Amino acid sequence: MTRAIEFFAGMGLMRAGLERVGIKTVFANDIDETKAKLYAGNWGRDELHVGDIRALHGDDIPNADLVTASFPCTDMSLAGKYKGLNGTQSSLVLDFLRILDEMGERAPRTLMIENVMGFLTANNGRDWEIVVDGIRKLGYQSNHIIVDASAFVPQSRARVFLFGHKGALKLPEPPEKRKDLRLQSIAEEEGDWWPTDRLHAFMQTLSPVQYKRVSVYQERFWPGYYGAFRRTRGGRPVWEVRADERAGALRTTRGGSAKQAIVRAGRGDIAVRWMSLTEYARLQGAEHLRYDSVTPSQAMFALGDAVCVPVIEWLATHCLMPLLRK
């Protein structure tokens, strides 16, 4: 049996992807109690350790073949003002490296670290080099691959995956984005579409470019579905609608600007509503999981902060298992 350790496990979507190829999680850690409820609701608490990674030591961690770390992305993005490893959240990846060092010869021979694209460029690339150098000092060869969830689901979600392996490390080409995937394929037929006054307010916030885009969508013969985000421009909230029939990258829905809406337009009609929990789950390839242990809002927050399950399954099949079999 191939054994895995998960740090920053969240609600467990890394585990969901790994288990599809027979990789068994033997230890998982996250500090968030709400995400832990979702994790436990789907896999139980036997392998789950809820607490601060900074309180863990290498001796606390069982033996395994693989270790993963989807460390907090906040400081690698605009939300965290690109503080990178100088921020209090993203710097926790250094504790991940510390624990591997403390494990010594027991450290798994393969590792995978996941984060947003800003991981590559934060602090002019210095943060990336710090982590890569840290991996190499622990005896791993390193390489990385960028995979976009749009190769599997109608969600634009590019993420970088950094691999370490105690041995030769060669990675395949990433899967290509699929142009045939449409947001309509995961959209629920029914929904709480906004009333006329709210729809009018939505249209009023569109910039001239956005208004023209939506008007073109509205006049198409076949209705299409498009992702939309509310942003702040010039100190006021505005809506932006995607230029393709996909969702934008799901985010942690803490605050209105991060919550994603669906625009349905065509045949002279237009309708808008918030995206549902079911749609969030489908966009992450996680519609088969249970969410009844938390509120829908909490579940959507956890999904926005998670990995995409089919992406992990592809990485496990094409990258991890070939390394682990050596």
Side-chain angles (χ1 to χ4, degrees):
M1 178 183 68
T2 303
R3 295 159 57 94
I5 298 164
E6 299 174 64
F7 288 100
F8 313 103
M11 64 170 291
L13 297 199
M14 180 69 74
R15 179 169 184 162
L18 295 178
E19 288 200 348
R20 289 185 177 182
V21 299
I23 299 175
K24 171 65 176 176
T25 295
V26 296
F27 182 89
N29 170 246
D30 201 279
I31 195 172
D32 192 291
E33 292 284 354
T34 300
K35 294 174 185 174
K37 289 180 181 178
L38 286 164
Y39 195 108
N42 286 284
W43 290 282
R45 288 188 172 268
D46 290 350
E47 297 84 23
L48 181 61
H49 181 281
V50 183
D52 195 330
I53 188 174
R54 291 170 291 190
L56 291 174
H57 187 275
D59 293 340
D60 301 320
I61 313 302
N63 293 344
D65 309 288
L66 167 69
V67 60
T68 68
S70 295
F71 70 98
C73 66
T74 306
D75 300 311
M76 298 293 177
S77 64
L78 177 61
K81 299 181 180 179
Y82 299 107
K83 292 189 292 288
L85 297 185
N86 295 323
T88 58
Q89 296 297 310
S90 295
S91 61
L92 294 175
V93 69
L94 301 180
D95 279 280
F96 165 72
L97 297 179
R98 169 187 59 80
I99 289 170
L100 293 183
D101 188 29
E102 291 168 352
M103 291 182 74
E105 293 184 357
R106 292 196 310 109
R109 60 192 179 95
T110 305
L111 65 83
M112 182 174 73
I113 299 174
E114 177 268 349
N115 215 282
V116 297
M117 295 298 293
F119 182 25
L120 289 165
T121 57
N123 290 318
N124 295 316
R126 292 191 298 272
D127 292 351
W128 173 264
E129 290 301 324
I130 287 172
V131 175
V132 170
D133 187 55
I135 289 172
R136 291 173 178 167
K137 286 180 177 177
L138 292 173
Y140 296 93
Q141 292 192 37
S142 69
N143 203 344
H144 73 280
I145 187 172
I146 296 169
V147 180
D148 197 313
S150 60
F152 306 96
V153 293
Q155 178 192 181
S156 179
R157 190 183 187 87
R159 294 293 184 266
V160 58
F161 295 85
L162 173 60
F163 289 81
H165 183 65
K166 294 183 177 180
L169 175 53
K170 184 178 180 180
L171 299 176
E173 290 295 316
E176 294 184 2
K177 300 177 184 179
R178 286 182 53 183
K179 297 180 180 180
D180 61 318
L181 294 173
R182 300 285 185 271
L183 188 56
Q184 185 173 0
S185 66
I186 65 91
E188 295 186 282
E189 292 187 9
E190 302 298 327
D192 189 15
W193 299 99
W194 294 348
T196 303
D197 57 340
R198 191 169 186 181
L199 177 60
H200 177 73
F202 168 86
M203 297 295 291
Q204 291 294 108
T205 70
L206 297 177
S207 68
V209 171
Q210 289 285 318
Y211 190 90
K212 182 178 179 180
R213 175 180 293 171
V214 171
S215 297
V216 170
Y217 292 163
Q218 193 172 357
E219 295 308 315
R220 288 179 177 174
F221 183 74
W222 294 108
Y225 289 68
Y226 311 87
F229 277 113
R230 189 170 58 192
R231 305 182 187 277
T232 300
R233 295 285 186 264
R236 68 184 187 92
V238 298
W239 280 95
E240 294 182 0
V241 182
R242 285 188 62 87
D244 55 27
E245 294 183 59
R246 292 178 183 163
L250 298 182
R251 307 175 190 176
T252 51
T253 54
R254 182 174 287 158
S257 62
K259 196 173 180 181
Q260 195 161 173
I262 286 182
V263 175
R264 184 186 66 196
R267 295 182 179 175
D269 191 23
I270 184 168
V272 183
R273 63 169 171 79
W274 292 117
M275 195 174 287
S276 71
L277 169 57
T278 297
E279 290 159 344
Y280 261 61
R282 289 172 178 171
L283 285 171
Q284 290 288 54
E287 63 271 22
H288 59 291
L289 298 183
R290 294 184 57 181
Y291 298 91
D292 54 353
S293 59
V294 300
T295 68
S297 179
Q298 289 172 328
M300 292 168 76
F301 181 95
L303 283 162
D305 203 25
V307 293
C308 184
V309 176
V311 169
I312 301 305
E313 182 181 6
W314 185 92
L315 290 164
T317 301
H318 298 277
C319 302
L320 293 172
M321 290 306 292
L323 292 172
L324 295 167
R325 289 192 188 106
K326 289 183 179 180

